[in-house]
């Protein structure tokens, strides 16, 4: 907290302005260096699949990026454990709901930790701290007259825990040919529900929500989803049922002062974002810098219900809602209910944690669904991580080319600032690309386009490989002083490029980046955003890395993945089956 009083400054010219500048500096240098990112909390009615890991990997990548840039970042994920679906799943499994939730929640937690996810908190909605936060939040809304007892009548999807308008429902046939009603959006079965329960005055917030979005055109990203929410807000919003009768739903948080009613699972779940930052005490510092990562299936809950609840409770709205699309299998959304899921643990073992992260972030485009196939993963990782990046590192550090195993010195005469040495125009263009790469990457991250950031890094890696290939340092005559200086310069420039790529790739592939930077001899404190000065010697400055011994581990950066057929042959020989398709 910072309070600067400027009264009484009038007498001294310029003092008021200086004080105001100081205040804004303090604000920028303290408050704005916090960053809080969340994933959806996952419903524990079944084990995690690759789609769940995807949401978490995106948030993890943003969290690591902010840390790299010197932000104080918090990152939370967890499990959503109340509701009818869980009640039914626990009954089907013959277990009490809490034991059931604990075992599934542990599966999510273990998956995230085995996949090197760096969340700073893991919340379960069955925790007492969360119950306290939800009851308080409810009481604030109730106290302001925004919750009233009413009668809800309409369509409800238990699968989506969602209320639907008649226009959002259509007729279909179930597997036995019986006519049923389903949600147009999710395809899940809906039922007609008639119940006395508590209603939230959602209808009051439509115009405020529209104002919020018009004033903050980047609040929902990508733009396509921003427009779809604006579209939803063109129609009147009906009030929202925010409780269920206890006789129907026991597994949830009871409504304060009315134990016959249970709080609606979405109101309960959304408050988790506040619970983590200690709502209702001391939450402001983090809540002012909140960013959500969500799948497009839960956009309505996060971009309409949640902001309306927050407005009602007098709390600030999230800074951004980052929306991603879905992984599909043979064109169908990967989902628990369809049973077409890909096991993330098995894939992270087959492709490594970083390999799987790289694939998800490089191929996953937020605007559009993407079909998952194992052969796509192999092809991409072999070409970009094993051959392009790993090959470049091998070339520049191989003892045959770099027998002294050092960060070779740069010779300005061979690669002068002005044309004239042994470098050609294409080499200068490469330097220019790499110099601007951090800014390009930062911009793509800001827009949630991690795949574009990776495309830009990949293009630079190709340029650097082209540079090495063009000058074929292995053909140079080590006995000739001029050739030796040029050889050393080519290696120095390539190592500098690799240092920039390794530093920028840390949020995406932390283990591979660590290996790469360690091999270059770059210390842990030399890997931040402020260490991205590229090729200092070219600009007449000292390079702290020049002449330094390379790291001793010459291991392969990323091992090529064998094709499916090669795996099959190997498994037939050893008698192991393979589940990968
Ligand atoms: N196929 C997918 N691709 C990308 N993200 C997904 C996918 N499925 C789920 N997610 C992410 O996980 C969140 C929670 O998903 P949910 O628990 O509803 O999984 P689901 O498999 O879609 O379940 P169900 O089949 O019961 O609807 C989504 O909001 C999204 O962030």
């Amino acid at each position: 907290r910072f309070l600067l009083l400027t009264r009484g400054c009038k007498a001294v010219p310029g003092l008021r302005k200086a004080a105001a500048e100081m205040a804004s500096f303090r604000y920028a240098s303290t408050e704005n260096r916090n960053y809080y990112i969340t994933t959806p909390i996952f419903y524990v009615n079944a084990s995690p699949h690759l789609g769940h890991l995807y949401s978490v990997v995106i948030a993890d990548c943003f969290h690591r990026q902010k840390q790299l840039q010197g932000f104080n970042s918090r990152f939370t994920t967890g499990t959503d454990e109340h509701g009818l679906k869980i009640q039914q799943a626990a009954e089907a499994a013959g277990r009490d709901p809490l034991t059931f939730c604990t075992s599934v929640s542990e599966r999510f937690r273990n998956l995230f930790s085995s996949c090197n996810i760096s969340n700073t908190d893991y919340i379960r909605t069955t925790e007492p701290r969360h119950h306290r936060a939800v009851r308080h939040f409810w009481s604030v809304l109730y106290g302001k007259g925004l919750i009233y007892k009413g009668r809800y009548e309409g369509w409800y999807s238990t699968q989506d825990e969602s209320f639907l308008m008649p226009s959002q429902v259509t007729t279909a046939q179930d597997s036995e040919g019986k006519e049923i009603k389903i949600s147009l959006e999710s395809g899940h079965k809906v039922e007609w529900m008639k119940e006395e329960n508590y209603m939230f005055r959602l209808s009051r917030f439509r115009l405020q929500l529209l104002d919020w979005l018009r004033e903050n055109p980047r609040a929902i990203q990508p733009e396509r989803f921003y427009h779809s929410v604006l579209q939803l807000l063109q129609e009147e919003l009906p009030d929202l049922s925010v409780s269920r009768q206890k006789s129907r739903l026991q597994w949830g948080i009871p409504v304060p002062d009315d134990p016959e009613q249970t709080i609606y699972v979405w109101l309960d779940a959304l408050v988790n974002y506040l619970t983590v930052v200690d709502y209702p005490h001391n939450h402001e510092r983090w809540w002012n810098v909140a960013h959500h990562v969500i799948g497009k299936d839960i956009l309505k809950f996060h971009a309409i219900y949640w902001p309306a609840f927050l407005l009602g409770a007098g709390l600030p709205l999230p800074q951004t809602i980052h929306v991603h699309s879905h992984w599909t299998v043979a064109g169908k959304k990967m989902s628990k209910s369809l049973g077409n899921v890909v096991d993330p643990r098995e894939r992270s073992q087959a492709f490594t944690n970083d390999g799987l992260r790289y694939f998800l972030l490089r191929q996953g485009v937020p605007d559009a669904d993407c079909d998952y196939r194992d052969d796509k993963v192999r092809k991409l990782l072999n070409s970009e991580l094993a051959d392009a990046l790993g090959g470049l590192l091998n070339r520049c550090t191989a003892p045959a080319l770099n027998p002294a195993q050092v960060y070779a010195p740069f010779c300005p005469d061979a690669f002068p600032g002005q044309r004239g040495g042994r470098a050609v125009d294409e080499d200068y263009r490469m330097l220019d690309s790499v110099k601007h790469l951090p800014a390009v990457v930062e911009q793509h991250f800001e827009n949630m386009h991690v795949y574009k950031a990776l495309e830009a890094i990949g293009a630079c890696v190709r340029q650097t490989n082209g540079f090495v290939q063009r000058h074929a340092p292995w053909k140079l005559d080590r006995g000739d002083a001029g050739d030796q200086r040029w050889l050393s310069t080519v290696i120095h420039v390539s190592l500098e490029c690799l240092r920039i790529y390794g530093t920028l790739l840390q949020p995406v592939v932390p283990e591979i980046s660590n290996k790469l930077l360690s091999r270059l001899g770059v210390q842990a404190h030399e890997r931040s955003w402020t260490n991205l000065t590229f090729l200092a010697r070219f600009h007449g400055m000292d390079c702290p890395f020049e002449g330094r011994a390379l790291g001793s581990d010459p291991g392969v950066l990323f091992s090529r993945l064998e094709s499916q057929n090669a795996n099959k042959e190997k498994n037939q020989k050893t008698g192991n089956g393979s589940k990968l398709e």
Side-chain angles (χ1 to χ4, degrees):
R1 294 289 178 80
F2 182 75
L3 175 67
L4 187 76
L5 300 174
T6 60
R7 276 189 69 188
C9 295
K10 250 196 222 157
V12 187
L15 187 55
R16 182 181 281 243
K17 186 165 171 263
E21 273 168 14
M22 188 177 151
S24 68
F25 165 75
R26 284 297 298 261
Y27 181 75
S29 63
T30 53
E31 300 292 312
N32 285 354
R33 299 312 281 177
N34 288 336
Y35 182 80
Y36 173 43
I37 186 136
T38 73
T39 72
I41 48 170
F42 300 101
Y43 217 53
V44 290
N45 61 338
S47 294
H49 62 66
L50 193 76
H52 301 135
L53 183 65
Y54 180 50
S55 291
V56 177
V57 163
I58 293 175
D60 185 61
C61 177
F62 287 153
H63 168 63
R64 288 176 189 264
Q65 168 74 4
K66 286 294 168 187
Q67 285 182 321
L68 185 64
Q69 294 182 304
F71 279 75
N72 187 15
S73 177
R74 280 179 86 158
F75 159 32
T76 175
T77 185
T79 43
D80 175 7
E81 306 190 2
H82 293 133
L84 206 54
K85 262 201 289 185
I86 310 277
Q87 193 175 302
Q88 290 166 350
E91 263 164 35
R95 300 167 85 175
D96 76 276
L98 187 58
T99 315
F100 176 83
C101 290
T102 302
S103 81
V104 185
S105 181
E106 282 305 297
R107 269 181 248 161
F108 276 88
R109 195 198 290 258
N110 293 339
L111 172 74
F112 300 154
S113 98
S114 78
C115 289
N116 199 14
I117 300 298
S118 56
N119 50 304
T120 53
D121 204 325
Y122 186 86
I123 173 142
R124 298 182 54 189
T125 55
T126 43
E127 288 176 56
R129 63 171 171 158
H130 180 65
H131 283 224
R132 280 195 298 274
V134 172
R135 282 199 299 267
H136 185 88
F137 192 78
W138 175 283
S139 306
V140 171
L141 296 179
Y142 189 80
K144 292 186 174 199
L146 294 169
I147 289 178
Y148 63 97
K149 196 104 181 239
R151 188 166 183 80
Y152 178 78
E153 189 166 350
W155 295 108
Y156 187 74
S157 159
T158 302
Q159 194 68 31
D160 304 327
E161 300 280 12
S162 176
F163 300 95
L164 297 146
M165 311 273 280
S167 60
Q168 297 171 309
V169 170
T170 187
T171 306
Q173 291 193 332
D174 68 8
S175 53
E176 287 151 15
K178 221 170 82 191
E179 196 169 274
I180 52 164
K181 295 282 183 191
I182 59 165
S183 153
L184 269 171
E185 197 187 335
S186 68
H188 292 142
K189 194 174 162 198
V190 299
E191 294 156 320
W192 189 256
M193 195 180 103
K194 232 180 188 175
E195 233 180 66
E196 178 166 277
N197 46 33
Y198 288 93
M199 306 291 291
F200 171 72
R201 296 190 193 279
L202 182 64
S203 53
R204 280 200 187 167
F205 292 93
R206 190 175 74 90
L207 296 179
Q208 280 189 65
L209 291 174
L210 277 170
D211 286 346
W212 165 56
L213 290 178
R214 289 191 184 126
E215 281 161 25
N216 297 279
R218 290 176 57 80
I220 300 173
Q221 292 177 33
E223 218 177 318
R224 169 187 159 200
F225 297 109
Y226 169 80
H227 290 297
S228 69
V229 176
L230 276 183
Q231 192 59 36
L232 287 175
L233 289 170
Q234 296 312 308
E235 281 181 45
E236 291 299 323
L237 292 175
D239 285 351
L240 178 71
S241 164
V242 284
S243 73
R244 303 294 312 270
Q245 278 175 6
K246 191 171 176 207
S247 54
R248 284 172 177 269
L249 175 64
Q250 295 91 48
W251 186 238
I253 304 176
V255 166
D257 304 321
D258 189 348
E260 287 315 305
Q261 294 271 331
T262 307
I263 295 178
Y264 172 44
V265 61
W266 267 105
L267 193 155
D268 162 355
L270 288 162
V271 173
N272 93 84
Y273 302 132
L274 285 170
T275 306
V276 169
V277 291
D278 296 333
Y279 175 81
H281 313 290
N282 307 321
H283 54 277
E284 294 95 346
R285 190 165 154 237
W286 293 100
W287 188 247
N288 286 334
V289 289
H291 301 257
H292 300 309
V293 170
I294 59 160
K296 64 179 183 181
D297 49 324
I298 49 176
L299 182 59
K300 173 179 75 179
F301 304 100
H302 283 80
I304 295 183
Y305 296 175
W306 182 224
F309 293 153
L310 289 168
L311 286 169
L315 290 166
L317 301 187
Q319 300 284 299
T320 17
I321 301 175
H322 294 288
V323 190
H324 65 75
S325 294
H326 288 146
W327 288 95
T328 55
V329 176
K332 286 220 162 80
K333 183 196 169 206
M334 186 187 300
S335 97
K336 302 178 285 230
S337 25
L338 288 177
N340 59 348
V341 298
V342 171
D343 181 349
R345 189 182 283 268
E346 199 177 272
R347 292 326 191 268
S348 69
Q349 279 163 3
F351 304 133
T352 74
N353 280 337
D354 276 8
L356 189 60
R357 286 171 72 99
Y358 187 83
F359 173 78
L360 292 174
L361 295 168
R362 174 77 173 86
Q363 287 279 299
V365 179
D367 297 81
D369 290 350
C370 187
D371 215 43
Y372 178 87
R373 282 207 326 267
D374 284 332
D375 62 321
K376 275 203 219 168
V377 186
R378 277 192 208 96
K379 206 167 152 203
L380 181 89
L381 300 186
N382 283 343
S383 121
E384 298 195 358
L385 291 184
D387 297 347
L389 191 65
L392 181 60
L393 179 68
N394 264 348
R395 278 174 151 181
C396 313
T397 55
L401 208 58
N402 187 347
Q405 291 290 285
V406 290
Y407 213 100
F410 177 85
C411 174
D413 290 343
F415 206 143
Q418 307 298 323
R419 309 286 197 268
R422 294 177 75 160
V424 298
D425 282 356
E426 260 178 292
D427 303 336
Y428 286 93
R429 277 199 290 277
M430 176 191 77
L431 294 200
D432 210 42
S433 308
V434 182
K435 184 177 153 200
H436 292 109
L437 187 62
V440 170
V441 165
E442 184 178 18
Q443 191 55 49
H444 289 318
F445 263 93
E446 287 299 315
N447 295 336
M448 204 199 165
H449 288 143
V450 182
Y451 74 102
K452 285 193 184 168
L454 293 177
E455 234 165 55
I457 296 173
C460 283
V461 172
R462 276 198 301 281
Q463 277 183 295
T464 312
N465 268 318
F467 166 72
V468 176
Q469 192 65 32
R470 197 160 44 248
H471 298 295
W474 47 89
K475 287 189 185 158
L476 294 171
D477 178 4
R478 281 165 205 277
D480 177 84
D483 266 13
Q484 180 58 44
R485 279 198 298 275
W486 179 230
L487 167 68
S488 176
T489 301
V490 169
I491 294 181
H492 180 95
V493 171
S494 309
L495 293 179
E496 272 291 276
C497 290
L498 275 164
R499 185 176 62 80
I500 300 297
Y501 307 149
T503 306
L504 292 174
L505 281 169
Q506 290 175 101
V508 177
V509 281
E511 290 165 20
I512 290 177
S513 300
N514 176 35
K515 210 166 172 178
L516 191 158
L517 293 170
S518 300
R519 179 70 176 123
L520 300 186
V522 179
Q523 306 291 310
H525 67 274
E526 297 167 327
R527 300 176 177 186
S528 78
W529 206 258
T530 53
N531 298 106
L532 283 169
T533 308
F534 171 58
L535 209 55
R537 295 280 284 113
F538 178 78
H539 299 284
M541 297 181 285
D542 286 342
C543 169
F545 308 100
E546 189 173 56
R548 196 184 272 189
L550 294 183
S552 55
D553 180 4
V556 178
L557 190 67
F558 186 84
S559 303
R560 277 185 71 80
L561 298 159
E562 293 181 50
S563 74
Q564 186 190 352
N565 290 341
N567 268 334
K568 262 190 198 152
E569 276 170 28
K570 209 157 121 195
N571 287 325
Q572 273 160 7
K573 275 187 203 150
T574 57
N576 289 331
S578 168
K579 284 193 200 154
L580 300 185
E581 282 160 14

